[in-house]
Amino acid sequence: MSTSTAPHRIVFANEKGGTGKSTTAVHVAVALAYQGARVAAIDLDSRQRTLHRYLENRNETERRRSITLPTPRFAVFGGESMAALDALTQDMAKDADFLIFDTPGRDDPYARHVATEADTLVTPLNDSFVDFDLIGQVDAETFKVRRLSFYAELIWEARKKRAMATITEKRREMDWVVVRNRTQHTEARNMKRLDAALTELSKRVGFRIAGGLSERVIYRELFPSGLTLLDKGHLGELGTSHLVARQELRSLVAALGLPLPGGREPELALGRIG
């Protein structure tokens, strides 16, 4: 991408907490940095600051170990107006190929604002109907989708407006990707019902479904150091579960289909990671 091109905006958004949103955002950001992309990240959760703290820890590990790690530029938004958010966004977008937003796990006007402006919207969900309720409601007996949620309708309207803007303003169409995290604990019958409901809703709303990151202790263990599964030269000897988790991450980044600098294919570039 040239410096005159607006960065590709990736927004990680879910109004429910505990879905692995920040963990996924950090790992995708670092994966893109490893592929030579210039990445900037904004944490919109000024309370928890999980993405911001993770990357702060990463910088501290670099200093402590005297090593260099691919790391995005990052900031936390603590302003109180859309104008302030837009100003920070404009500043962080300078010379960036990708601009990543990590949003709070709650209803938040700033999160909605950036979600409707996303080029790629990533919504991580745990495999449960509690999380599914964020995007749609199902019948209690048949588990068929009864209606869209308010959030799904919001994104649906934003995508329709974007589709018109792709012609008049030459903007990218919004790609909405629902990422299914923590699938290994899901009981077989429940998973089958979720599969059917997600497939039905994806056809109605237009999102894609991608496999995400399973729940593993490794992600929680990496937070204090700011390291990721891609930093294999700094992680010591890895067990089988770590290697499986890294492959999950590589598959997820490839599934997102993000436009890499120089027009490279994500699958080919990822082959050089790990």
Side-chain angles (χ1 to χ4, degrees), residues 84-106:
L85 175 56
D86 289 340
L88 176 61
T89 297
Q90 184 175 9
D91 180 62
M92 294 296 289
K94 294 176 181 176
D95 298 323
D97 297 312
F98 294 96
L99 180 57
I100 290 176
F101 295 86
D102 185 29
T103 63
R106 60 181 183 273

Side-chain angles (χ1 to χ4, degrees), residues 26-37 39 58 69-71 98 228-235 238 242-254 258 260-261 264-274:
V26 167
H27 275 75
V28 169
V30 171
L32 291 170
Y34 260 110
Q35 294 174 77
V39 185
R58 188 173 179 84
L69 298 169
T71 304
F98 294 96
T228 72
L229 289 168
L230 302 175
D231 304 310
K232 68 170 188 175
H234 308 286
L235 296 175
L238 300 181
H242 296 67
L243 299 176
V244 171
R246 183 189 293 158
Q247 183 55 48
E248 286 180 341
L249 174 62
R250 293 176 61 186
S251 297
L252 170 59
V253 177
L258 300 169
L260 295 178
R264 289 177 294 141
E265 292 294 327
E267 293 83 355
L268 297 178
L270 276 168
R272 293 194 289 274
I273 297 179

Side-chain angles (χ1 to χ4, degrees), residues 16-232:
K16 295 180 181 293
T19 60
K21 177 172 50 59
S22 297
T23 297
T24 307
V26 167
H27 275 75
V28 169
V30 171
L32 291 170
Y34 260 110
Q35 294 174 77
R38 296 164 299 179
V39 185
I42 298 176
D43 193 336
L44 293 186
D45 192 343
S46 59
R47 298 179 194 171
Q48 295 192 10
R49 303 187 177 203
T50 303
L51 178 139
H52 191 265
R53 288 287 299 119
Y54 203 120
L55 295 176
E56 279 187 330
N57 293 343
R58 188 173 179 84
N59 282 349
E60 178 58 30
T61 294
E62 283 190 292
R63 289 191 291 269
R64 187 174 62 254
R65 298 188 185 184
S66 298
I67 59 177
T68 300
L69 298 169
T71 304
R73 292 190 300 120
F74 59 96
V76 62
F77 174 66
E80 298 181 351
S81 70
M82 290 298 177
L85 175 56
D86 289 340
L88 176 61
T89 297
Q90 184 175 9
D91 180 62
M92 294 296 289
K94 294 176 181 176
D95 298 323
D97 297 312
F98 294 96
L99 180 57
I100 290 176
F101 295 86
D102 185 29
T103 63
R106 60 181 183 273
D107 184 16
D108 179 88
Y110 302 115
R112 290 187 182 181
H113 177 64
V114 298
T116 58
E117 293 295 315
D119 296 308
T120 299
L121 175 64
V122 182
T123 302
L125 295 178
N126 293 326
D127 265 5
S128 89
F129 280 107
V130 173
D131 278 25
F132 183 88
D133 195 66
L134 172 76
I135 55 177
Q137 298 176 13
V138 298
D139 184 271
E141 299 296 332
T142 66
F143 292 93
K144 294 288 186 180
V145 178
R146 292 193 295 118
R147 65 173 68 95
L148 302 183
S149 70
F150 174 80
Y151 185 79
E153 290 179 345
L154 175 75
I155 302 304
W156 171 251
E157 290 299 323
R159 293 181 77 234
K160 286 198 297 184
K161 291 180 181 178
R162 176 67 67 86
M164 296 178 63
T166 57
I167 300 174
T168 60
E169 303 174 22
K170 297 183 179 180
R171 299 188 66 186
R172 307 177 179 96
E173 290 188 15
M174 182 193 295
D175 184 22
W176 187 11
V177 185
V178 172
V179 173
R180 299 178 64 178
N181 282 337
R182 303 179 180 176
T183 58
Q184 84 276 21
H185 296 314
T186 306
E187 184 263 333
R189 184 175 62 175
N190 190 49
M191 181 179 289
K192 188 174 181 179
R193 289 170 173 168
L194 279 164
D195 286 341
L198 277 169
T199 300
E200 178 186 351
L201 195 56
S202 69
K203 293 176 180 177
R204 289 173 57 176
V205 183
F207 59 74
R208 297 191 293 119
I209 304 171
L213 310 179
S214 301
E215 184 178 18
R216 289 187 170 88
V217 176
I218 180 62
Y219 293 110
R220 294 189 291 272
E221 291 178 343
L222 288 173
F223 176 81
S225 67
L227 294 175
T228 72
L229 289 168
L230 302 175
D231 304 310
K232 68 170 188 175

